[in-house]
Amino acid sequence: MKAKKTDPMKRFLKKYPFLKETERVYRTVDAAVGAPEPIQLPARAAAKTLAEKLPILQQETYRRRMVRAVYMIQEEVYDRIARADVPPLMRESARAYLAVLKPLRKTAKEEFITAVLLQDAPAFAALCARHNLNEGFVRSTTWRIIAALVPPALKEPEAWDADPDRPQFRQNYCPVCGRRPALADLHKFRDGRARYLICGGCGTQWLYARVGCVYCGNADLEKMRTLEPENDDRIRLDICDACDSYIKTYRGPAEGSDDDYIYRQDWASVHLDLLAEEKGLHKKGNPILE
């Protein structure tokens, strides 16, 4: 008799029951964002990224296209969150943003989205302060909408480096949106592993150097170390003492498993973020915090 196959998420949450509420809220917001039709990003946009190292959504034509697409659906998304079973602060923050957007003209509404896409932190902070908005909530939710509008094929590492032996894009920022990574993922490659980064904004994956800090570029191994949790050998913290930052690195089974997709989500290892915070380390790449 074959063993009954259990749901990967149920197995994961059984192991980490303290993450059940986080997963539920994350799933609820996903449902609020829905599955909008991705915007069109032609091959020439990706070609320019590879040639000039300019992320697609930092190219003016495609940035404007994304801003328009987010503008078209954002109020529906925030309305769903405002009526959803989420923590009170999230509902209140969604209602506050909706109230601010309602009387604004299209250009003024798009200012919020443009500031997020350009990662213009001072401009976005000023907009939120002017209207007394929850900056982290609005920014992170806007990125969730952006992520849903990026064509899935462009999020795959093969879109940027079909041949790991001849990488075409090896920058420490996302080729699609330009954000910094929130996670790293070690894929089996020949007799070892290749390191891929996962964007903290749109979720794109791309190949990066196997060794070194993904944030400051430090390659001095004496200033690099790892911190491995006692109860899970699939994920660790790669720490850079040069800039006091860290990146969570997933190193799951070499052949992959049906729960890989869980570990590749930032919320699934928030307990490691708390551990890093206790040690005075800085988290980067997460849109809530930046």
Side-chain angles (χ1 to χ4, degrees):
M1 181 181 293
K2 290 185 178 180
K4 185 178 179 180
K5 192 172 182 179
T6 59
D7 178 70
M9 186 62 75
K10 287 183 178 179
R11 289 200 309 267
F12 179 81
L13 294 176
K14 185 176 181 180
K15 183 174 182 179
Y16 300 108
F18 55 87
L19 288 173
K20 283 184 179 180
E21 179 64 5
T22 301
E23 187 275 335
R24 187 193 67 78
V25 172
Y26 193 91
R27 180 164 32 88
T28 301
V29 175
D30 263 357
V33 173
E37 182 177 353
I39 66 172
Q40 293 186 356
L41 296 174
R44 64 177 177 273
K48 184 171 183 176
T49 295
L50 293 175
E52 302 179 18
K53 310 310 177 195
L54 179 64
I56 292 178
L57 296 180
Q58 300 305 320
Q59 299 170 32
E60 186 174 2
T61 297
Y62 307 112
R63 182 175 67 248
R64 289 181 176 178
R65 186 172 297 179
M66 178 60 81
V67 169
R68 285 196 299 269
V70 175
Y71 163 80
M72 292 296 293
I73 67 172
Q74 71 168 350
E75 289 178 67
E76 293 179 13
V77 172
Y78 283 98
D79 181 63
R80 293 187 196 113
I81 295 173
R83 294 183 287 108
D85 182 14
V86 295
L89 179 60
M90 290 183 68
R91 287 199 302 270
E92 293 164 9
S93 298
R95 289 168 185 159
Y97 189 43
L98 285 169
V100 167
L101 291 177
K102 188 175 181 179
L104 295 181
R105 294 182 179 275
K106 178 176 180 289
T107 302
K109 293 179 180 181
E110 289 184 343
E111 282 184 28
F112 288 93
I113 306 165
T114 300
V116 169
L117 264 178
L118 288 175
Q119 300 171 58
D120 188 340
F124 188 71
L127 282 170
C128 291
R130 184 187 312 160
H131 298 286
N132 196 27
L133 294 171
N134 183 332
E135 181 182 342
F137 169 77
V138 176
R139 180 175 49 240
S140 62
T141 305
T142 300
W143 275 113
R144 297 281 287 277
I145 299 171
I146 292 168
L149 289 165
V150 172
L154 283 179
K155 296 183 182 183
E156 297 299 323
E158 292 78 15
W160 304 104
D161 287 296
D163 182 358
D165 283 325
R166 290 181 290 181
Q168 295 179 279
F169 188 91
R170 241 185 180 186
Q171 311 305 310
N172 67 345
Y173 52 84
C174 174
V176 172
C177 71
R179 278 194 64 84
R180 292 184 289 187
L183 297 161
D185 188 7
L186 301 182
H187 293 203
K188 182 181 179 182
F189 181 64
R190 299 204 177 100
D191 296 329
R193 300 285 185 103
R195 181 167 64 162
Y196 290 78
L197 304 181
I198 303 175
C199 177
C202 69
T204 295
Q205 297 184 47
W206 72 99
L207 182 65
Y208 192 65
R210 180 67 175 82
V211 177
C213 177
V214 303
Y215 298 122
C216 74
N218 167 50
D220 184 351
L221 294 181
E222 292 187 358
K223 295 181 180 179
M224 301 289 298
R225 55 193 170 94
T226 61
L227 182 61
E228 302 179 3
E230 296 179 359
N231 60 343
D232 197 338
D233 62 357
R234 295 191 185 199
I235 193 163
R236 72 184 186 211
L237 300 180
D238 285 343
I239 300 168
C240 175
D241 289 328
C243 65
D244 290 325
S245 69
Y246 69 94
I247 189 164
K248 295 182 292 189
T249 298
Y250 176 57
R251 48 174 186 162
E255 299 300 332
S257 71
D258 56 3
D259 55 3
D260 281 349
Y261 78 97
I262 300 173
Y263 284 89
R264 289 172 181 149
Q265 299 180 73
D266 198 17
W267 68 262
S269 49
V270 67
H271 50 296
L272 296 187
D273 294 317
L274 297 175
L275 175 63
E277 185 179 349
E278 290 176 358
K279 297 184 177 297
L281 300 170
H282 304 303
K283 181 176 178 64
K284 298 180 180 179
N286 185 302
I288 296 177
L289 303 176
E290 293 185 7

